[in-house]
């Protein structure tokens, strides 16, 4: 069965989605909706439609929503009314209330709704999760993420929490298979913009793991690092290069008396794993295509999980307060 798909919003990610859909096996890419006058008449050889109703009349099985976040709810509502499945770029909505409405709309219509948290499909993180499940580093003690770099001019309607930290919230819960139970944060507005451009956050997960996130748009180099510390060693994930490195705890007795008296871990072997590095966006599209075909959502980020990320992000925006998350505010990760 060939699925008919389209894209709503032709910004940076919309162009990447269009390229990927146009080459995706089992999918017929029909075109794009974008009302901006600056957008040309075609993309990847397919039409760019300026009117939403005319676009939806083309008859889609599913669509990718890559418009600015503030429009996600209205677009999602139109898709749900038409019975069209949707993969919505993160953050899924501007507010928790809007995210919940989207989630409930798609559930009531019996439609597949996914969220574009692309980091889940990074081959290094996928490998890390599998190795954690296999017991490679034992119980997880701490997850620390660093997501820093210059300000991207394309971002206008959110700050670093919803644009960047949302990745770390989702990947931390997913790779550890735990929920956040409390969060605390400090934010700063150093560049004069309406939204925050710097965040340091800490959280506690449901099995006692400590999480920390350092996020900003004020660093003159790009960094995307996740460090997962467990009882048997530490996994270091670089999602820019899709590299995964294991630093094992040492098992040899220490003969130097001064070091031997320290009751902690010692340095062991270091292993960089050889990984098959599929493009994360392609992996994300394949997973969503398969979810539409089969109804199995286990390999995608669901609207429920995306809603939970927005909820936690809003708690982080309440600078300086410690926030306990009730069971009703957490979602069991897959």
């Amino acid at each position: 069965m060939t699925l008919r798909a389209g894209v709503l919003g032709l910004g940076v990610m919309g162009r990447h989605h269009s390229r990927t859909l146009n080459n995706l096996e089992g999918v017929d890419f029909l075109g794009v909706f974008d009302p901006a006058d600056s957008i040309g008449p075609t993309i990847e050889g397919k039409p760019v439609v300026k009117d939403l109703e005319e676009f939806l009349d083309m008859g889609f099985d599913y669509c990718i929503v890559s418009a600015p976040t503030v429009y996600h709810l209205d677009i999602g509502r139109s898709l749900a009314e038409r019975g069209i499945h949707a993969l919505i770029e993160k953050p899924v909505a501007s507010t928790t209330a809007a995210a919940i409405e989207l989630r409930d709309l798609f559930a009531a219509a019996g439609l597949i709704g996914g969220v574009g948290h692309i980091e889940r499909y990074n081959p290094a993180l996928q490998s890390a999760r599998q190795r954690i499940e296999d017991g490679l580093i034992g119980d997880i003690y701490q997850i620390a993420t660093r997501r820093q770099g210059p300000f991207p001019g394309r971002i206008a309607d959110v700050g670093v929490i919803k644009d960047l930290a949302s990745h770390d919230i989702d990947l931390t819960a997913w790779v550890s298979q735990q929920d956040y139970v409390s969060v605390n944060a400090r934010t700063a507005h150093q560049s004069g913009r309406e939204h925050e451009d710097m965040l340091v956050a800490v959280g506690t997960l449901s099995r006692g793991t400590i999480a920390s996130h350092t996020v900003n748009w004020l660093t003159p180099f790009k960094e995307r690092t996740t460090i997962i510390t467990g009882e048997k060693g530490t996994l270091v994930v670089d999602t820019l290069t899709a590299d995964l490195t294991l630093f094992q705890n040492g098992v040899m007795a220490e003969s130097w008396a001064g070091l031997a008296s320290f009751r902690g871990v010692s340095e062991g072997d270091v292993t960089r794993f050889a990984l098959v590095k599929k493009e994360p966006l392609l992996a994300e599209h394949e997973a969503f295509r398969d979810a539409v075909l089969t109804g199995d959502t286990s390999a995608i980020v669901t609207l429920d999980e995306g809603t939970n990320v927005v909820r936690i992000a809003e708690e982080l925006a309440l600078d300086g307060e410690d926030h306990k998350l009730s069971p009703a505010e957490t979602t069991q990760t897959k």
Side-chain angles (χ1 to χ4, degrees), residues 160 184-188 198-202 212-215 316 319:
V160 294
N184 186 283
R186 297 293 184 273
T187 60
M198 179 173 281
L199 167 78
V200 176
V202 297
S212 66
H213 309 304
T214 300
V215 185
L316 292 177
D319 190 329

Side-chain angles (χ1 to χ4, degrees), residues 4-57:
R4 297 158 60 88
V7 173
L8 296 103
L10 200 54
V12 173
M13 282 306 299
R15 293 181 183 278
H16 288 306
H17 283 300
S18 298
R19 167 184 57 82
T20 305
L21 278 176
N22 200 41
N23 295 284
L24 186 61
E25 184 178 352
V27 171
D28 184 10
F29 174 50
L30 300 185
V32 172
F33 164 73
D34 195 307
D37 293 335
S38 59
I39 302 297
T42 63
I43 179 74
E44 301 289 336
K46 302 301 170 65
V48 176
V49 180
K50 303 296 184 179
D51 181 81
L52 180 58
E53 294 304 315
E54 179 186 344
F55 176 74
L56 296 180
D57 285 342

Side-chain angles (χ1 to χ4, degrees), residues 6-10 33-35 52-53 55-56 62-89 92-93 98 101-102 105-106 111:
V7 173
L8 296 103
L10 200 54
F33 164 73
D34 195 307
L52 180 58
E53 294 304 315
F55 176 74
L56 296 180
Y62 74 93
C63 283
I64 312 300
V65 179
S66 55
T69 309
V70 67
Y71 300 119
H72 285 186
L73 177 57
D74 288 339
I75 291 173
R77 187 182 290 116
S78 296
L79 293 173
E81 289 172 353
R82 294 271 192 142
I84 300 171
H85 307 285
L87 174 62
I88 304 171
E89 266 300 336
V92 65
E101 184 174 345
L102 267 175
L105 278 169
F106 276 76
L111 296 168

Side-chain angles (χ1 to χ4, degrees), residues 74-323:
D74 288 339
I75 291 173
R77 187 182 290 116
S78 296
L79 293 173
E81 289 172 353
R82 294 271 192 142
I84 300 171
H85 307 285
L87 174 62
I88 304 171
E89 266 300 336
K90 63 85 208 162
V92 65
S94 297
T95 66
T96 301
I100 290 171
E101 184 174 345
L102 267 175
R103 179 196 67 191
D104 293 347
L105 278 169
F106 276 76
L111 296 168
I112 303 294
V115 187
H117 284 287
I118 195 171
E119 290 285 53
R120 280 205 197 182
Y121 301 93
N122 188 285
L125 275 170
Q126 294 239 326
S127 180
R129 170 162 156 152
Q130 184 59 58
R131 294 174 195 279
I132 289 168
E133 286 183 350
D134 293 341
L136 180 65
I137 61 172
D139 290 340
I140 301 175
Y141 296 154
Q142 182 182 52
I143 298 177
T145 69
R146 299 195 302 270
R147 189 172 297 270
Q148 308 176 94
F151 176 71
R154 63 186 174 84
I155 303 299
D157 58 343
V158 294
V160 294
I161 293 177
K162 287 182 179 175
D163 182 59
L164 293 185
S166 58
H167 283 302
D168 295 317
I169 295 166
D170 180 70
L171 75 84
T172 296
W174 179 75
V175 80
S176 67
Q177 300 184 61
Q178 299 181 56
D179 299 315
Y180 283 80
V181 295
S182 70
V183 292
N184 186 283
R186 297 293 184 273
T187 60
H189 297 69
Q190 300 290 2
S191 54
R193 299 183 182 91
E194 176 186 356
H195 301 288
E196 78 288 338
D197 48 32
M198 179 173 281
L199 167 78
V200 176
V202 297
T204 303
L205 306 184
S206 51
R207 292 200 293 273
T209 299
I210 299 170
S212 66
H213 309 304
T214 300
V215 185
N216 71 59
W217 278 327
L218 301 172
T219 301
F221 61 89
K222 194 171 183 179
E223 181 183 33
R224 302 288 186 267
T225 304
T226 299
I227 302 171
I228 307 163
T229 302
E231 62 176 326
K232 300 177 184 178
T234 295
L235 288 167
V236 177
V237 182
D238 184 334
T239 52
L240 285 179
T241 59
D243 286 327
L244 176 64
T245 305
L246 169 66
F247 294 81
Q248 290 177 281
N249 293 349
V251 295
M252 298 177 65
E254 184 60 69
S255 59
W256 184 359
L259 293 179
S261 64
F262 172 68
R263 292 181 176 273
V265 302
S266 59
E267 295 179 4
D269 294 335
V270 179
T271 305
R272 174 175 287 182
F273 296 105
L275 306 176
V276 176
K277 296 184 178 182
K278 177 183 286 189
E279 182 189 3
L281 188 61
L282 174 59
E284 180 179 63
H285 272 274
E286 289 175 342
F288 192 77
R289 174 202 62 196
D290 294 347
V292 172
L293 285 170
T294 67
D296 181 1
T297 61
S298 62
I300 69 171
V301 185
T302 65
L303 289 179
D304 195 36
E305 291 171 309
T307 296
N308 202 42
V309 170
V310 174
R311 181 181 293 116
I312 295 168
E314 288 188 343
E315 297 287 356
L316 292 177
L318 300 174
D319 190 329
E321 301 179 33
D322 186 56
H323 301 278

